[in-house]
Structure formats: structure tokens, C-alpha cells
Amino acid sequence: MALVPVVGLGGLWATMDKRVERGDWHITANAPAAAPAALAGPILSLQRQPAILAHDTTDRQLAASVKVVTENVGSSPADPTCFAASLDGRTVIADAADQPVMPASNMKLITAAVALDVLGPDFTFATTANGQLSGDTVEGDLILVGGGDPLLANAGYVPRRKYPTVESPTSIEALADQVAARVRHVTGGIIGDESHFDSERYAPGWRPEDQGGQAGPLSALMLNDARELPDIDTPVDNAALSATQEFARLLGERGVLIDGGTALGQASAPVEELGRVTSVPMAQMVAEMLLNSDNNTAEMVLKQIGATAGGGPGIRDAGVAAETAKLVEWGVPVAGLVINDGSGLDRADRLTCRALLAVLDHVGSSGPLFDGLPISGAAQGTLADPDNRDILAPTGTDGRIHAKTGSLRDAKALSGFFDLADGRKIAFSMLVNGDHAVDRGHILWAAMASGMAAFTGSVSPDAIALAGSG
């Protein structure tokens, strides 16, 4: 059985071997997997009860089925790689599992898991419009207050992403409709208030090409992912001011007379709430964040974790501290972990496969985090990317892999769950770094998927007896 994935991947090795043979790192696909070693001790000893023997035998079979992967993990210091897997909560595979590795977008698994705990699945972001209303007139300024909603958008806005996507935008037009139903005249101007979060636009460790290109500029008052319209390839200069100007335009379209201009600031006197729109609940937000690998959402959620846990303005560092504290509370090993942002864009971020596996085992294979993971063979999400899809398609595992992807120039990551035929799930984490990490990662993905597909998870009485007869 352990030979099945090796034989089935023969064509893949022939195609990919030339792409991956780089110095010290080379997969040897023809070495047969070793038979599971016999367990010491008599079959009737108290230390070798049938359930324990069944677990040991199953674990050995799983390890043998992915032997071609484990033999090539951590094989070169220049190309750090780790791999860990668990079954029924037992860690079965832990190869270089404590080595800190750049996680790329697998960092979003930490952000999502902690957000669902600290903020709760029903948490929503709110954007409000406020002013001193007299009749149908706002005396003075009308204040547009951002609450950190990463999904605030114009009708028809299509995010700049290469993955087919399902979005749940928070409509700024709906907020303008609410205000226009009560207000016909604003004697002052339209003021944007972004004070719910700090003024940090980008995480310090992001490369210049990622600033605005991959995420940001961040603001508690951010519209359309802080992109220009209709040229969504261009980030705005000032996210909060751009959102305020668009809101003023929408009010003008609806017949509201505005005497002043637009600016940033805060209310200087007591005001009345004149309109409110809220985001989808956090459960749905993190699910879409994972499915589409949404960097802006990850960063805004991290800031909100900091605001909630710290009791003050949303600060990235406060969010990081809250995440680390929650991991410690869950019993996740944090040695070697470096968390600098929510998305994984920071190239100094470091996670271990053991830590990610512990988080997956903690959240389990049900609920909003699991529901949001991309699925192999599906039409949506990052596993629908042609490169990812085409690598996994020959393994015949469509619908069986639920996992978060991650890609940087020198990092490739995949962590999640694999469906077994008996309904159980293998939790796993694989982080690949170094030169040609994408090519190497794809080969290891295919080898892992084929090996897990060949693993049945069943143990016969004869196998148990053989294991205990050494």
C-alpha cells in the first residue's frame, strides 16, 4: 500500500525532477517505503492494549504512506522545510516540525482562529454617519466614522484578485440612502473619522512592492480596498479622505446640499447617529478571507483583535500580543514564532509546522475556519488557481483537501485537513522555504496527497497481532 503513491507519481517525477534537483535537495522517488517495524512487548501486556496497538499500527501505516515526503523534509539548511500531521488528535508525523519557517499566507490561519475566539463569530464592523440634526438639516459637519470594516465598498466593486471569488461587501450606498432619507442639508462639510485604528498604513516589514500592491494603505475608514476607481490597480493616496469624498459625492447624488468641503477629523460636540451599516459576521468574514487569501481583511482583523483585547485603538502590536497570548492559552508551542502582521506578507514572519498543526487540532474540522478553507477541485478559492489545481488534479483527491495555501517568491505553504474514506480527517501542515520553493512545494503537495489517498486508516486484527508479536 505504501508503494502506491510512489508508483502513481512516476510521471510527475519524470516531469518535475529536472525542475527541482538543486544542489542538496532532490526527491528520490524509487526507494520503497519500509515496512512498519514490529512493536516490542507481548500482545497481552497492560502496556499493549488493543486500542493502543491499533493506534500505533495506524500511525505507522500513515507515516509509511507519505514516506517519500518525509524523506525530503529538512534535507538542506538552505531550503528549510517542515511537515507535521495528526490523526484523531495524535501527532503522527513531525519532521523538522519545530523549525521556524516563513509561513506566507498560512499566517492567516492564526489570525482567523484567534479572531473567532477573541472577537467571536458574531462580531461585526460598523460604519456610521453622525451629526447634529435639526429638522432635515445637519447643523455643522456630518461625520463619517470608520469602524475598521475591510469590506466597505461601492456597488459593483470587483476586488483585484486572480481567484474567482464570492464577496459580501458592506454597501456605502446603503449608508448614503439612510442619511438622505433624513437629511436634505448639511451646513458644514463631510468629515471622515478614522480614529478607531491607529495611523499605521503598512506593516513595517512589508517590501515596497507589497505596500499598496498586496495590501493597504490601511485605515479604519477604508473603501474599496483603498483602490482608485475605476483604475483598481492603483492604491489611493489617503484611504480615509478618499472614502469621505466618495460619501459626499453619493449624498450629493441623492439631493443632499452640502455647504462645506471634505476633510479628516473627529466630532467636536455631541452628535446623533443618522445612519449605520454593518459588515457580515466575523464567521463569514474570516471564511472569505481564507478562501480568497484577502490580505486587507487579515490586517484589519488583526488590528481589531488589538482594539478588543487591549481596550484601546487598534494597534498591530497589540493584536500580535493578543494572538501570542491566545496561542499560549491553547497550549500551542510558541518557541521560534515571529508574528509581525496578520496576512503573512512580512518576510520576517516565522511559524512552525508543529504550531500550525496544534492550531488546526484545536479548532477542529468543523466551524467557520474549516468551512472557509479552499477545497481541492473546487471552482473558487486559492486551490482553484491553475497552478495549484493542475498539480493536485492527477492525485485524484478533488474534494478531499481543505487547506490554506501560501505563496511568496521563496515560500510555499499548505496547511489544513485531508478527508479519509471513513469520515475522519488528517490534519497537516507543510511549509517549504528557499530557492525554487514553489516548484518543490508543488511536488511535495502531490506526493503528500497521493500518499494520504492511498492510506485507508483501517487496521485488521491480523495487523494488530503482528504488531504485538515482536
Side-chain angles (χ1 to χ4, degrees):
M1 178 179 63
L3 289 174
V4 173
V6 177
V7 175
L9 285 171
L12 180 63
W13 308 131
T15 303
M16 299 291 285
D17 213 26
K18 293 180 181 179
R19 295 170 55 190
V20 181
E21 186 170 3
R22 315 286 188 199
D24 296 333
W25 199 95
H26 178 69
I27 283 184
T28 302
N30 297 321
L39 297 174
I43 189 66
L44 296 180
S45 72
L46 292 176
Q47 289 76 24
R48 293 299 178 191
Q49 304 227 0
I52 298 175
L53 285 172
H55 288 166
D56 286 348
T57 305
T58 299
D59 294 353
R60 291 173 186 269
Q61 289 177 352
L62 174 57
S65 72
V66 293
K67 182 173 182 287
V68 70
V69 179
T70 60
E71 285 180 338
N72 289 280
V73 169
S75 57
S76 169
D79 302 318
T81 305
C82 66
F83 180 41
S86 66
L87 180 63
D88 299 329
R90 305 184 312 278
T91 298
V92 178
I93 298 166
D95 287 295
D98 297 308
Q99 177 171 260
V101 182
M102 189 170 13
S105 282
N106 271 205
M107 183 63 76
K108 295 183 178 77
L109 288 169
I110 306 295
T111 304
V114 175
L116 290 167
D117 189 294
V118 172
L119 305 179
D122 298 324
F123 176 88
T124 58
F125 292 93
T127 307
T128 64
N130 308 279
Q132 293 180 315
L133 189 64
S134 177
D136 61 0
T137 298
V138 171
E139 301 289 351
D141 296 327
L142 188 151
I143 315 297
L144 176 65
V145 181
D149 188 349
L151 302 182
L152 187 66
N154 282 108
Y157 167 65
V158 178
R160 187 180 68 93
R161 301 192 183 99
K162 65 180 179 179
Y163 309 114
T165 181
V166 175
E167 291 297 320
S168 301
T170 309
S171 171
I172 193 172
E173 284 87 358
L175 183 59
D177 288 341
Q178 292 177 34
V179 173
R182 301 181 63 185
V183 176
R184 305 315 301 159
H185 184 201
V186 178
T187 64
I190 308 299
I191 305 299
D193 181 351
E194 61 171 342
S195 62
H196 181 64
F197 288 163
D198 57 35
S199 60
E200 184 182 75
R201 306 308 180 195
Y202 309 102
W206 291 359
R207 297 177 302 177
E209 57 266 35
D210 293 333
Q211 297 180 10
Q214 293 292 332
L218 304 173
S219 168
L221 180 56
M222 183 172 69
L223 180 68
N224 301 327
D225 286 316
R227 316 303 294 184
E228 295 279 5
L229 294 182
D231 179 20
I232 61 174
D233 287 331
T234 304
V236 299
D237 292 329
N238 186 315
L241 183 58
S242 177
T244 304
Q245 291 168 342
E246 174 61 11
F247 188 61
R249 186 190 72 80
L250 291 171
L251 291 178
E253 271 189 354
R254 286 155 175 76
V256 178
L257 176 63
I258 303 169
D259 291 347
T262 56
L264 299 182
Q266 294 176 253
S268 57
V271 291
E272 175 186 353
E273 185 175 290
L274 306 176
R276 167 183 290 257
V277 289
T278 57
S279 70
V280 295
M282 185 56 58
Q284 184 175 346
M285 182 171 289
V286 299
E288 292 190 2
M289 175 188 78
L290 295 173
L291 183 70
N292 303 310
S293 205
D294 188 324
N295 294 321
N296 274 334
T297 295
E299 299 305 332
M300 300 286 269
V301 167
L302 177 64
K303 289 198 174 200
Q304 185 58 50
I305 290 171
T308 299
I315 301 172
R316 177 181 48 82
D317 288 342
V320 168
E323 286 194 343
T324 304
K326 186 58 64 174
L327 294 179
V328 171
E329 178 187 320
W330 292 343
V332 175
V334 297
L337 268 60
V338 178
I339 302 176
N340 289 326
D341 62 6
S343 63
L345 282 175
D346 193 310
R347 303 180 71 80
D349 286 336
R350 292 293 182 271
L351 296 179
T352 66
C353 284
R354 193 181 300 277
L356 278 169
L357 186 67
V359 170
L360 293 171
D361 282 335
H362 174 79
V363 299
S365 56
S366 63
L369 189 149
F370 176 81
D371 293 343
L373 292 172
I375 301 174
S376 56
Q380 294 176 331
T382 57
L383 281 177
D385 178 279
D387 289 340
N388 297 336
R389 181 193 63 223
D390 293 347
I391 286 296
L392 291 175
T395 67
T397 55
D398 282 0
R400 298 182 68 180
I401 300 173
H402 309 250
K404 180 72 194 77
T405 60
S407 296
L408 294 172
R409 179 182 56 81
D410 47 1
K412 193 68 176 177
L414 190 70
S415 299
F417 299 90
F418 188 94
D419 292 340
L420 293 176
D422 62 6
R424 291 182 299 164
K425 291 177 171 58
I426 300 169
F428 67 89
S429 177
M430 179 187 293
L431 305 178
V432 182
N433 282 190
D435 291 340
H436 313 288
V438 174
D439 287 344
R440 292 169 46 231
H442 277 161
I443 288 183
L444 290 173
W445 286 15
M448 179 191 71
S450 295
M452 288 184 177
F455 172 69
T456 64
S458 61
V459 182
S460 69
D462 288 343
I464 296 176
L466 178 62
S469 63

